[in-house]
Amino acid sequence: MSGITRRRALGAAAGAAAGLAAAGAAHAAIRTTDPRPQHAPGGATAVPGSFDEVYQGRRIQGHPTHHGGHGGGRHGGHDAGYTVRVDGEELHVMRNADGTWISVVNHYEPRATPRALARAAVTELQGAALVPLALG
Amino acid sequence: MTVRKNQAQLTADEKRRFVNALLALKRNGRYDTFVTTHNAFIMSDTDNGDRVGHRSPSFLPWHRRFLIQFEQALQSVDRSVALPYWDWTADRTTASSLWAADFLGGTGRARDGQVMDGPFAASSGGWAVNVRVDGRTFLRRALGAGGRQLPTRADVESVLAMSTYDAPPWNSASDGFRNHLEGWRGVNLHNRVHVWVGGQMATGVSPNDPVFWLHHAFIDKLWADWQRRHPDSAYLPTAGTPNVVDLRESMRPWTDVTPADMLDHRPHYTYDTAA
């Protein structure tokens, strides 16, 4: 009954990443990208600091991610350099070139900070649980 | 020959056949493979890394190929079906026939966003959301929530007037037609429509809502309109660009298609308007 879940979607993502790996150096460069600040054209600078709060009854947390065992491989192909959790489940996030942020539940509407992104996700979820991100 | 029509012009029989083909692909499992593929690219396409389906020059040829593949799947069920397009500059309210119960159904209810009418409502039993980012298995929408407005024809014209296809750094920060059409910069066309629909359409698993295909069929038509308006402009970049699909490089997940192969839609389908 569960059908195709996010887990299998991520399996496909890993497959896509494997195809990319075959392409060689480009993928290796992504996997080893330094998660520290990237200076984007729009003037984006530092990775934001950590946060931990209860918002609309749900615990949201965020912190910069340091590489080495976490990040790209587990997420299907890239490392945002930052991890956001809602009630302990990881929310897939991505940083745009101008320093704004999007998540998999608000993919087409950038927010200024990971905290704003986490709050937007809580609003969107209306109490629903995130589907676990972890592979395997 | 496949002719893609404005959804507002479809006959009752054309709507019925389109809906039935969607439901058949959902039943046999093929529909969800398209959702899975889309989300995989949404999560892996990044501004500073490899990017193919989104936030890059290949956004347009990638989705053209993706829609052709989906349309072929529909036609394996019913050969008469073609993808309709939704001109959201013209049909821009929740009262549009697009959202009627005999076609896509309407917006979601306030409490949980659940779509309550039409063939894709959870109560119809034929449209479980299986590839999902949260626990909810029903189709959701929030059409125009928060007073959001769809792009106007003037917004579209301002983007069609841009003569350069795309520009460095070839991502969400780029100037040029592609990124303004995609919406990461400027008046915001494509991204804004995803947000206006809301529900799954605002997420990485946006193809869970059948309107995904009608939205992208219109984005695809705008690319064709742009080509006619700028016959001397072409796909960029042409070669040697790290992390970006150049004109004659193959696009994942396919191994046999390049942007150059997708520039002319006419071998695959035509439009109901002069093209």
Side-chain angles (χ1 to χ4, degrees), chain A residues 2 4-6 9-10 12-13 16 20 26 30 38 76 78 92 94 96-97 102 104-109 124-126 128-131, chain B residues 32 36 38-39 42-48 50 55 111-112 130-136 140 148 184 191 194 201-204 206 252:
Chain A
S2 64
I4 301 166
T5 64
R6 183 76 183 288
L10 283 158
L20 184 57
I30 296 168
Q38 302 210 5
H78 86 98
H92 184 272
M94 183 181 293
N96 294 320
I102 55 169
V104 75
V105 303
N106 291 102
H107 185 78
Y108 302 93
E109 190 174 32
E124 176 67 21
L125 286 167
Q126 294 180 296
L130 283 173
V131 170
Chain B
D32 286 347
T36 299
H38 187 265
N39 192 47
I42 276 281
M43 294 198 303
S44 65
D45 294 325
T46 59
D47 277 335
N48 296 310
D50 199 74
R55 56 181 69 231
R111 174 159 63 83
D112 59 3
N130 301 312
V131 184
R132 56 187 186 262
V133 295
D134 63 55
R136 293 169 289 183
R140 294 180 292 115
R148 290 190 176 91
W184 298 111
N191 283 354
H194 276 275
M201 263 292 272
T203 75
S206 46
R252 291 181 295 112

Short mmCIF file of all heavy atoms in Angstrom, two decimals, chain A residues 2 4-6 9-10 12-13 16 20 26 30 38 76 78 92 94 96-97 102 104-109 124-126 128-131, chain B residues 32 36 38-39 42-48 50 55 111-112 130-136 140 148 184 191 194 201-204 206 252:
data_model
loop_
_atom_site.label_atom_id
_atom_site.label_comp_id
_atom_site.label_asym_id
_atom_site.label_seq_id
_atom_site.Cartn_x
_atom_site.Cartn_y
_atom_site.Cartn_z
N SER A 2 2.03 1.15 0.63
CA SER A 2 2.84 2.35 0.73
C SER A 2 3.31 2.82 -0.64
O SER A 2 3.55 3.99 -0.83
CB SER A 2 4.06 2.09 1.62
OG SER A 2 4.89 1.11 1.02
N ILE A 4 5.30 3.82 -3.94
CA ILE A 4 6.60 4.43 -4.14
C ILE A 4 6.74 5.59 -3.18
O ILE A 4 5.98 6.52 -3.21
CB ILE A 4 6.76 4.92 -5.58
CG1 ILE A 4 6.60 3.75 -6.54
CG2 ILE A 4 8.12 5.56 -5.77
CD1 ILE A 4 6.41 4.17 -7.97
N THR A 5 7.68 5.53 -2.30
CA THR A 5 7.85 6.58 -1.30
C THR A 5 9.05 7.43 -1.65
O THR A 5 9.76 7.19 -2.61
CB THR A 5 8.10 5.95 0.08
OG1 THR A 5 9.33 5.24 0.00
CG2 THR A 5 6.97 5.03 0.46
N ARG A 6 9.24 8.42 -0.82
CA ARG A 6 10.40 9.29 -0.96
C ARG A 6 11.69 8.49 -0.98
O ARG A 6 12.64 8.84 -1.67
CB ARG A 6 10.40 10.26 0.21
CG ARG A 6 11.49 11.27 0.17
CD ARG A 6 11.15 12.34 -0.84
NE ARG A 6 12.24 13.28 -0.93
CZ ARG A 6 12.53 14.16 0.01
NH1 ARG A 6 11.77 14.25 1.06
NH2 ARG A 6 13.54 14.96 -0.13
N ALA A 9 12.30 7.49 -4.30
CA ALA A 9 12.65 8.66 -5.09
C ALA A 9 14.12 8.97 -4.91
O ALA A 9 14.85 9.27 -5.86
CB ALA A 9 11.80 9.87 -4.67
N LEU A 10 14.57 8.82 -3.67
CA LEU A 10 15.98 9.10 -3.40
C LEU A 10 16.87 8.05 -4.00
O LEU A 10 17.99 8.33 -4.41
CB LEU A 10 16.19 9.21 -1.89
CG LEU A 10 15.68 10.57 -1.38
CD1 LEU A 10 15.38 10.53 0.09
CD2 LEU A 10 16.72 11.64 -1.68
N ALA A 12 16.33 6.74 -6.82
CA ALA A 12 16.48 7.20 -8.20
C ALA A 12 17.47 8.34 -8.27
O ALA A 12 18.26 8.45 -9.20
CB ALA A 12 15.13 7.62 -8.76
N ALA A 13 17.42 9.18 -7.24
CA ALA A 13 18.36 10.30 -7.22
C ALA A 13 19.79 9.78 -7.14
O ALA A 13 20.69 10.27 -7.82
CB ALA A 13 18.07 11.22 -6.04
N ALA A 16 20.82 8.71 -10.43
CA ALA A 16 21.21 9.85 -11.26
C ALA A 16 22.61 10.30 -10.89
O ALA A 16 23.43 10.61 -11.74
CB ALA A 16 20.21 10.99 -11.09
N LEU A 20 26.15 10.51 -12.99
CA LEU A 20 26.99 11.69 -12.97
C LEU A 20 28.43 11.32 -12.63
O LEU A 20 29.37 11.83 -13.22
CB LEU A 20 26.44 12.66 -11.93
CG LEU A 20 27.11 14.02 -11.80
CD1 LEU A 20 27.09 14.73 -13.14
CD2 LEU A 20 26.38 14.84 -10.78
N ALA A 26 33.55 16.24 -12.62
CA ALA A 26 32.54 17.22 -12.23
C ALA A 26 31.84 16.79 -10.96
O ALA A 26 31.64 17.57 -10.05
CB ALA A 26 31.53 17.41 -13.35
N ILE A 30 31.61 18.19 -6.84
CA ILE A 30 30.42 18.49 -6.03
C ILE A 30 30.55 17.84 -4.66
O ILE A 30 30.33 18.45 -3.64
CB ILE A 30 29.15 17.95 -6.71
CG1 ILE A 30 28.93 18.65 -8.03
CG2 ILE A 30 27.95 18.13 -5.80
CD1 ILE A 30 27.88 17.97 -8.87
N GLN A 38 30.27 30.49 0.27
CA GLN A 38 30.61 30.66 -1.14
C GLN A 38 30.17 32.07 -1.50
O GLN A 38 29.06 32.48 -1.21
CB GLN A 38 29.84 29.65 -1.99
CG GLN A 38 30.15 28.24 -1.55
CD GLN A 38 30.05 27.26 -2.69
OE1 GLN A 38 29.83 27.65 -3.83
NE2 GLN A 38 30.22 26.01 -2.40
N GLY A 76 21.39 12.39 -2.29
CA GLY A 76 21.08 12.24 -3.69
C GLY A 76 21.80 13.25 -4.56
O GLY A 76 21.28 13.68 -5.56
N HIS A 78 23.94 16.29 -3.72
CA HIS A 78 24.57 17.57 -3.42
C HIS A 78 24.57 17.82 -1.93
O HIS A 78 23.84 17.23 -1.16
CB HIS A 78 23.90 18.72 -4.16
CG HIS A 78 22.72 19.26 -3.42
ND1 HIS A 78 22.80 20.38 -2.63
CD2 HIS A 78 21.46 18.82 -3.32
CE1 HIS A 78 21.62 20.61 -2.09
NE2 HIS A 78 20.80 19.69 -2.47
N HIS A 92 15.05 18.43 3.12
CA HIS A 92 16.05 18.66 2.07
C HIS A 92 16.05 20.14 1.69
O HIS A 92 15.01 20.67 1.27
CB HIS A 92 15.74 17.81 0.84
CG HIS A 92 16.78 17.93 -0.23
ND1 HIS A 92 16.71 18.91 -1.20
CD2 HIS A 92 17.91 17.24 -0.47
CE1 HIS A 92 17.78 18.79 -1.99
NE2 HIS A 92 18.51 17.78 -1.57
N MET A 94 18.33 23.61 -0.10
CA MET A 94 19.30 23.98 -1.12
C MET A 94 19.50 25.49 -1.07
O MET A 94 18.56 26.25 -0.83
CB MET A 94 18.76 23.57 -2.50
CG MET A 94 19.69 23.83 -3.66
SD MET A 94 18.91 23.33 -5.23
CE MET A 94 18.81 21.55 -5.02
N ASN A 96 20.46 28.96 -3.03
CA ASN A 96 20.54 29.55 -4.36
C ASN A 96 21.79 30.43 -4.48
O ASN A 96 22.38 30.84 -3.49
CB ASN A 96 19.29 30.40 -4.63
CG ASN A 96 18.04 29.57 -4.70
OD1 ASN A 96 18.04 28.47 -5.25
ND2 ASN A 96 16.97 30.08 -4.10
N ALA A 97 22.14 30.74 -5.73
CA ALA A 97 23.35 31.51 -5.99
C ALA A 97 23.30 32.89 -5.33
O ALA A 97 24.33 33.45 -4.97
CB ALA A 97 23.55 31.66 -7.50
N ILE A 102 15.82 27.37 -0.60
CA ILE A 102 14.58 26.67 -0.91
C ILE A 102 14.64 25.28 -0.27
O ILE A 102 15.72 24.79 0.06
CB ILE A 102 14.34 26.50 -2.43
CG1 ILE A 102 15.55 25.81 -3.07
CG2 ILE A 102 14.02 27.83 -3.08
CD1 ILE A 102 15.30 25.37 -4.49
N VAL A 104 12.57 21.18 -0.33
CA VAL A 104 11.81 20.31 -1.22
C VAL A 104 10.30 20.53 -1.07
O VAL A 104 9.55 20.24 -1.98
CB VAL A 104 12.21 18.83 -1.01
CG1 VAL A 104 11.61 18.28 0.28
CG2 VAL A 104 11.85 17.97 -2.20
N VAL A 105 9.85 21.11 0.06
CA VAL A 105 8.41 21.38 0.19
C VAL A 105 8.04 22.81 -0.20
O VAL A 105 6.86 23.12 -0.35
CB VAL A 105 7.85 21.07 1.61
CG1 VAL A 105 8.11 19.64 1.99
CG2 VAL A 105 8.37 22.02 2.65
N ASN A 106 9.02 23.68 -0.36
CA ASN A 106 8.78 25.02 -0.92
C ASN A 106 9.85 25.25 -1.97
O ASN A 106 10.77 26.03 -1.78
CB ASN A 106 8.87 26.10 0.17
CG ASN A 106 7.74 26.03 1.17
OD1 ASN A 106 7.90 25.55 2.28
ND2 ASN A 106 6.57 26.49 0.76
N HIS A 107 9.69 24.55 -3.08
CA HIS A 107 10.82 24.51 -4.00
C HIS A 107 10.93 25.71 -4.91
O HIS A 107 11.99 26.02 -5.44
CB HIS A 107 10.79 23.23 -4.85
CG HIS A 107 12.01 23.14 -5.70
ND1 HIS A 107 13.21 22.72 -5.18
CD2 HIS A 107 12.24 23.51 -6.97
CE1 HIS A 107 14.13 22.81 -6.13
NE2 HIS A 107 13.57 23.29 -7.23
N TYR A 108 9.82 26.40 -5.14
CA TYR A 108 9.80 27.43 -6.18
C TYR A 108 9.68 28.85 -5.61
O TYR A 108 9.44 29.79 -6.35
CB TYR A 108 8.64 27.17 -7.15
CG TYR A 108 8.72 25.80 -7.81
CD1 TYR A 108 8.06 24.69 -7.26
CD2 TYR A 108 9.45 25.60 -8.98
CE1 TYR A 108 8.13 23.44 -7.86
CE2 TYR A 108 9.52 24.36 -9.59
CZ TYR A 108 8.86 23.29 -9.02
OH TYR A 108 8.94 22.05 -9.63
N GLU A 109 9.84 28.98 -4.29
CA GLU A 109 9.68 30.28 -3.64
C GLU A 109 10.79 30.46 -2.60
O GLU A 109 10.66 30.03 -1.45
CB GLU A 109 8.30 30.33 -2.96
CG GLU A 109 7.94 31.71 -2.45
CD GLU A 109 6.51 31.76 -1.92
OE1 GLU A 109 6.03 30.73 -1.38
OE2 GLU A 109 5.88 32.81 -2.06
N GLU A 124 3.42 24.84 5.68
CA GLU A 124 2.98 24.04 4.55
C GLU A 124 2.54 22.64 4.99
O GLU A 124 1.59 22.07 4.46
CB GLU A 124 4.12 23.94 3.53
CG GLU A 124 3.86 23.05 2.33
CD GLU A 124 2.77 23.60 1.42
OE1 GLU A 124 2.51 24.82 1.47
OE2 GLU A 124 2.18 22.81 0.67
N LEU A 125 3.25 22.09 5.97
CA LEU A 125 2.98 20.70 6.38
C LEU A 125 1.65 20.56 7.11
O LEU A 125 1.07 19.47 7.14
CB LEU A 125 4.11 20.20 7.28
CG LEU A 125 5.41 19.88 6.55
CD1 LEU A 125 6.57 19.71 7.55
CD2 LEU A 125 5.26 18.63 5.69
N GLN A 126 1.14 21.64 7.73
CA GLN A 126 -0.14 21.59 8.45
C GLN A 126 -0.21 20.38 9.38
O GLN A 126 -1.22 19.67 9.44
CB GLN A 126 -1.31 21.54 7.46
CG GLN A 126 -1.45 22.82 6.63
CD GLN A 126 -2.60 22.77 5.65
OE1 GLN A 126 -2.59 21.96 4.73
NE2 GLN A 126 -3.59 23.63 5.82
N ALA A 128 1.51 17.56 9.20
CA ALA A 128 1.95 16.28 8.63
C ALA A 128 3.43 16.04 8.90
O ALA A 128 4.21 16.99 9.02
CB ALA A 128 1.69 16.26 7.13
N ALA A 129 3.81 14.78 8.97
CA ALA A 129 5.21 14.43 9.17
C ALA A 129 5.96 14.44 7.84
O ALA A 129 5.41 14.07 6.80
CB ALA A 129 5.31 13.04 9.79
N LEU A 130 7.22 14.86 7.89
CA LEU A 130 8.06 14.71 6.71
C LEU A 130 8.32 13.23 6.46
O LEU A 130 8.41 12.45 7.40
CB LEU A 130 9.41 15.40 6.93
CG LEU A 130 9.45 16.92 6.82
CD1 LEU A 130 10.83 17.41 7.25
CD2 LEU A 130 9.16 17.36 5.39
N VAL A 131 8.45 12.87 5.20
CA VAL A 131 8.88 11.51 4.88
C VAL A 131 10.39 11.46 5.10
O VAL A 131 11.11 12.35 4.63
CB VAL A 131 8.52 11.15 3.43
CG1 VAL A 131 9.19 9.85 3.01
CG2 VAL A 131 7.00 11.04 3.29
N ASP B 32 3.89 7.35 -11.65
CA ASP B 32 4.75 7.70 -10.52
C ASP B 32 6.23 7.68 -10.87
O ASP B 32 7.03 8.35 -10.21
CB ASP B 32 4.46 6.77 -9.34
CG ASP B 32 3.13 7.10 -8.65
OD1 ASP B 32 2.57 8.18 -8.93
OD2 ASP B 32 2.66 6.26 -7.86
N THR B 36 9.00 10.52 -9.68
CA THR B 36 10.28 10.15 -9.08
C THR B 36 11.44 10.79 -9.82
O THR B 36 12.36 11.36 -9.22
CB THR B 36 10.44 8.61 -9.09
OG1 THR B 36 9.38 8.05 -8.32
CG2 THR B 36 11.77 8.19 -8.50
N HIS B 38 11.45 13.44 -11.75
CA HIS B 38 11.46 14.89 -11.57
C HIS B 38 12.06 15.28 -10.23
O HIS B 38 12.91 16.16 -10.14
CB HIS B 38 10.04 15.46 -11.71
CG HIS B 38 10.02 16.95 -11.71
ND1 HIS B 38 9.81 17.69 -10.58
CD2 HIS B 38 10.23 17.85 -12.72
CE1 HIS B 38 9.87 18.99 -10.89
NE2 HIS B 38 10.12 19.11 -12.17
N ASN B 39 11.64 14.62 -9.17
CA ASN B 39 12.14 14.98 -7.84
C ASN B 39 13.63 14.71 -7.71
O ASN B 39 14.35 15.46 -7.06
CB ASN B 39 11.36 14.25 -6.75
CG ASN B 39 11.65 14.83 -5.37
OD1 ASN B 39 11.62 16.04 -5.19
ND2 ASN B 39 11.96 13.97 -4.41
N ILE B 42 15.21 17.69 -9.25
CA ILE B 42 14.99 18.87 -8.40
C ILE B 42 16.00 18.90 -7.26
O ILE B 42 16.54 19.94 -6.93
CB ILE B 42 13.55 18.83 -7.82
CG1 ILE B 42 12.54 19.40 -8.82
CG2 ILE B 42 13.46 19.56 -6.50
CD1 ILE B 42 12.48 20.90 -8.90
N MET B 43 16.25 17.74 -6.67
CA MET B 43 17.13 17.71 -5.50
C MET B 43 18.61 17.72 -5.87
O MET B 43 19.44 18.07 -5.05
CB MET B 43 16.80 16.50 -4.63
CG MET B 43 15.40 16.60 -4.01
SD MET B 43 15.17 15.50 -2.62
CE MET B 43 15.55 13.93 -3.33
N SER B 44 18.94 17.33 -7.09
CA SER B 44 20.37 17.25 -7.43
C SER B 44 20.86 18.40 -8.30
O SER B 44 22.06 18.63 -8.39
CB SER B 44 20.67 15.91 -8.10
OG SER B 44 20.02 15.81 -9.35
N ASP B 45 19.95 19.13 -8.95
CA ASP B 45 20.38 20.27 -9.77
C ASP B 45 20.74 21.44 -8.85
O ASP B 45 19.86 21.98 -8.17
CB ASP B 45 19.24 20.74 -10.70
CG ASP B 45 18.86 19.70 -11.75
OD1 ASP B 45 19.76 19.00 -12.23
OD2 ASP B 45 17.66 19.62 -12.10
N THR B 46 22.01 21.84 -8.84
CA THR B 46 22.43 22.92 -7.94
C THR B 46 23.16 24.02 -8.72
O THR B 46 23.79 23.76 -9.74
CB THR B 46 23.37 22.40 -6.83
OG1 THR B 46 24.53 21.81 -7.44
CG2 THR B 46 22.67 21.38 -5.97
N ASP B 47 23.09 25.22 -8.17
CA ASP B 47 23.68 26.38 -8.86
C ASP B 47 25.19 26.28 -9.05
O ASP B 47 25.73 26.81 -10.02
CB ASP B 47 23.35 27.67 -8.09
CG ASP B 47 21.97 28.20 -8.42
OD1 ASP B 47 21.47 27.91 -9.52
OD2 ASP B 47 21.40 28.91 -7.58
N ASN B 48 25.86 25.64 -8.08
CA ASN B 48 27.31 25.58 -8.17
C ASN B 48 27.83 24.19 -8.54
O ASN B 48 29.03 23.96 -8.56
CB ASN B 48 27.94 26.02 -6.84
CG ASN B 48 27.62 27.46 -6.54
OD1 ASN B 48 27.79 28.33 -7.39
ND2 ASN B 48 27.11 27.72 -5.34
N ASP B 50 26.63 20.23 -10.78
CA ASP B 50 26.02 19.73 -12.00
C ASP B 50 24.53 20.07 -12.00
O ASP B 50 23.85 19.91 -10.99
CB ASP B 50 26.22 18.21 -12.07
CG ASP B 50 26.02 17.68 -13.47
OD1 ASP B 50 26.92 17.91 -14.29
OD2 ASP B 50 24.98 17.07 -13.74
N ARG B 55 17.27 25.28 -13.22
CA ARG B 55 18.27 26.32 -12.95
C ARG B 55 19.49 26.23 -13.85
O ARG B 55 20.62 26.38 -13.40
CB ARG B 55 18.65 26.34 -11.45
CG ARG B 55 19.18 25.03 -10.88
CD ARG B 55 19.52 25.11 -9.39
NE ARG B 55 18.34 25.25 -8.56
CZ ARG B 55 18.20 26.19 -7.62
NH1 ARG B 55 19.15 27.04 -7.37
NH2 ARG B 55 17.08 26.26 -6.92
N ARG B 111 -8.93 23.36 5.55
CA ARG B 111 -8.39 22.64 6.70
C ARG B 111 -7.07 21.93 6.40
O ARG B 111 -6.11 22.03 7.15
CB ARG B 111 -9.43 21.62 7.19
CG ARG B 111 -8.92 20.71 8.29
CD ARG B 111 -10.10 20.13 9.06
NE ARG B 111 -10.96 19.29 8.24
CZ ARG B 111 -10.72 18.00 7.97
NH1 ARG B 111 -9.65 17.43 8.45
NH2 ARG B 111 -11.57 17.31 7.25
N ASP B 112 -7.03 21.23 5.28
CA ASP B 112 -5.82 20.45 5.00
C ASP B 112 -5.38 20.53 3.53
O ASP B 112 -4.49 19.79 3.12
CB ASP B 112 -6.02 18.98 5.40
CG ASP B 112 -7.20 18.34 4.67
OD1 ASP B 112 -7.82 19.01 3.82
OD2 ASP B 112 -7.49 17.16 4.96
N ASN B 130 1.80 8.77 -4.02
CA ASN B 130 2.75 7.77 -3.50
C ASN B 130 4.16 8.31 -3.38
O ASN B 130 4.87 8.01 -2.43
CB ASN B 130 2.75 6.55 -4.43
CG ASN B 130 1.40 5.92 -4.56
OD1 ASN B 130 0.73 5.67 -3.56
ND2 ASN B 130 0.96 5.64 -5.79
N VAL B 131 4.60 9.06 -4.38
CA VAL B 131 5.93 9.67 -4.34
C VAL B 131 5.77 11.01 -3.66
O VAL B 131 5.25 11.96 -4.25
CB VAL B 131 6.50 9.86 -5.76
CG1 VAL B 131 7.93 10.39 -5.68
CG2 VAL B 131 6.46 8.56 -6.53
N ARG B 132 6.17 11.08 -2.39
CA ARG B 132 5.79 12.25 -1.60
C ARG B 132 6.90 12.69 -0.66
O ARG B 132 7.81 11.92 -0.36
CB ARG B 132 4.51 11.96 -0.82
CG ARG B 132 4.61 10.74 0.07
CD ARG B 132 3.26 10.39 0.69
NE ARG B 132 3.39 9.33 1.65
CZ ARG B 132 3.13 8.04 1.37
NH1 ARG B 132 2.72 7.69 0.16
NH2 ARG B 132 3.28 7.12 2.28
N VAL B 133 6.78 13.93 -0.23
CA VAL B 133 7.78 14.49 0.68
C VAL B 133 7.24 14.59 2.10
O VAL B 133 7.97 14.91 3.02
CB VAL B 133 8.27 15.87 0.19
CG1 VAL B 133 8.99 15.73 -1.14
CG2 VAL B 133 7.12 16.86 0.07
N ASP B 134 5.95 14.37 2.26
CA ASP B 134 5.39 14.33 3.61
C ASP B 134 4.35 13.22 3.68
O ASP B 134 4.12 12.50 2.71
CB ASP B 134 4.80 15.69 4.02
CG ASP B 134 3.63 16.12 3.15
OD1 ASP B 134 2.66 15.34 3.02
OD2 ASP B 134 3.67 17.23 2.60
N GLY B 135 3.73 13.08 4.85
CA GLY B 135 2.89 11.92 5.09
C GLY B 135 1.55 11.90 4.37
O GLY B 135 0.86 10.88 4.39
N ARG B 136 1.19 12.99 3.74
CA ARG B 136 -0.16 13.09 3.16
C ARG B 136 -0.24 12.43 1.78
O ARG B 136 0.57 12.73 0.91
CB ARG B 136 -0.58 14.56 3.10
CG ARG B 136 -0.77 15.16 4.49
CD ARG B 136 -0.92 16.65 4.46
NE ARG B 136 0.34 17.33 4.12
CZ ARG B 136 0.48 18.65 4.08
NH1 ARG B 136 -0.54 19.43 4.36
NH2 ARG B 136 1.65 19.18 3.78
N ARG B 140 -3.31 17.89 -3.02
CA ARG B 140 -3.58 19.17 -2.37
C ARG B 140 -3.37 20.32 -3.35
O ARG B 140 -2.51 20.24 -4.23
CB ARG B 140 -2.63 19.38 -1.18
CG ARG B 140 -2.83 18.42 -0.05
CD ARG B 140 -1.85 18.71 1.08
NE ARG B 140 -0.47 18.41 0.70
CZ ARG B 140 0.49 19.31 0.58
NH1 ARG B 140 0.25 20.59 0.81
NH2 ARG B 140 1.71 18.95 0.21
N ARG B 148 -2.12 35.74 -4.14
CA ARG B 148 -1.12 35.68 -5.21
C ARG B 148 -1.78 35.79 -6.57
O ARG B 148 -2.91 35.34 -6.77
CB ARG B 148 -0.35 34.36 -5.12
CG ARG B 148 0.59 34.27 -3.93
CD ARG B 148 1.49 33.06 -4.07
NE ARG B 148 2.46 32.98 -2.99
CZ ARG B 148 2.24 32.33 -1.85
NH1 ARG B 148 1.11 31.68 -1.67
NH2 ARG B 148 3.17 32.30 -0.93
N TRP B 184 13.62 32.47 -11.64
CA TRP B 184 14.50 32.74 -10.50
C TRP B 184 14.88 34.22 -10.46
O TRP B 184 15.39 34.72 -9.47
CB TRP B 184 15.77 31.89 -10.57
CG TRP B 184 15.49 30.43 -10.51
CD1 TRP B 184 15.66 29.53 -11.53
CD2 TRP B 184 14.99 29.68 -9.40
NE1 TRP B 184 15.29 28.28 -11.10
CE2 TRP B 184 14.89 28.33 -9.80
CE3 TRP B 184 14.64 30.02 -8.09
CZ2 TRP B 184 14.42 27.32 -8.96
CZ3 TRP B 184 14.18 29.02 -7.24
CH2 TRP B 184 14.08 27.69 -7.68
N ASN B 191 8.15 29.69 -12.10
CA ASN B 191 8.15 29.38 -10.66
C ASN B 191 6.89 29.91 -9.99
O ASN B 191 6.28 29.25 -9.14
CB ASN B 191 9.36 30.00 -9.97
CG ASN B 191 10.65 29.23 -10.21
OD1 ASN B 191 10.63 28.16 -10.81
ND2 ASN B 191 11.76 29.78 -9.76
N HIS B 194 3.87 27.61 -10.25
CA HIS B 194 3.93 26.49 -9.29
C HIS B 194 3.44 26.95 -7.92
O HIS B 194 2.68 26.24 -7.26
CB HIS B 194 5.37 25.98 -9.17
CG HIS B 194 5.76 24.99 -10.22
ND1 HIS B 194 5.51 23.65 -10.11
CD2 HIS B 194 6.41 25.14 -11.40
CE1 HIS B 194 5.98 23.01 -11.17
NE2 HIS B 194 6.54 23.89 -11.97
N MET B 201 2.16 20.95 -6.15
CA MET B 201 2.77 21.71 -7.24
C MET B 201 3.87 22.67 -6.75
O MET B 201 4.69 23.12 -7.54
CB MET B 201 1.70 22.51 -8.00
CG MET B 201 1.20 21.83 -9.26
SD MET B 201 2.44 21.71 -10.58
CE MET B 201 2.17 23.29 -11.41
N ALA B 202 3.86 23.00 -5.47
CA ALA B 202 4.88 23.89 -4.93
C ALA B 202 6.11 23.14 -4.43
O ALA B 202 7.04 23.74 -3.90
CB ALA B 202 4.29 24.74 -3.80
N THR B 203 6.11 21.83 -4.59
CA THR B 203 7.17 20.98 -4.03
C THR B 203 8.00 20.32 -5.14
O THR B 203 7.70 20.47 -6.33
CB THR B 203 6.58 19.84 -3.17
OG1 THR B 203 6.01 18.84 -4.04
CG2 THR B 203 5.49 20.35 -2.23
N GLY B 204 9.00 19.58 -4.72
CA GLY B 204 9.82 18.83 -5.68
C GLY B 204 9.06 17.72 -6.37
O GLY B 204 9.46 17.27 -7.45
N SER B 206 6.17 17.96 -7.75
CA SER B 206 5.09 18.70 -8.41
C SER B 206 4.34 17.92 -9.50
O SER B 206 3.14 18.17 -9.70
CB SER B 206 5.60 20.02 -8.98
OG SER B 206 6.81 19.86 -9.67
N ARG B 252 21.23 13.85 -19.10
CA ARG B 252 20.67 12.82 -18.24
C ARG B 252 19.18 13.10 -18.02
O ARG B 252 18.78 14.26 -18.03
CB ARG B 252 21.40 12.83 -16.88
CG ARG B 252 22.81 12.36 -16.90
CD ARG B 252 23.41 12.38 -15.49
NE ARG B 252 23.52 13.72 -14.94
CZ ARG B 252 22.81 14.17 -13.91
NH1 ARG B 252 21.92 13.40 -13.32
NH2 ARG B 252 22.96 15.39 -13.47
#
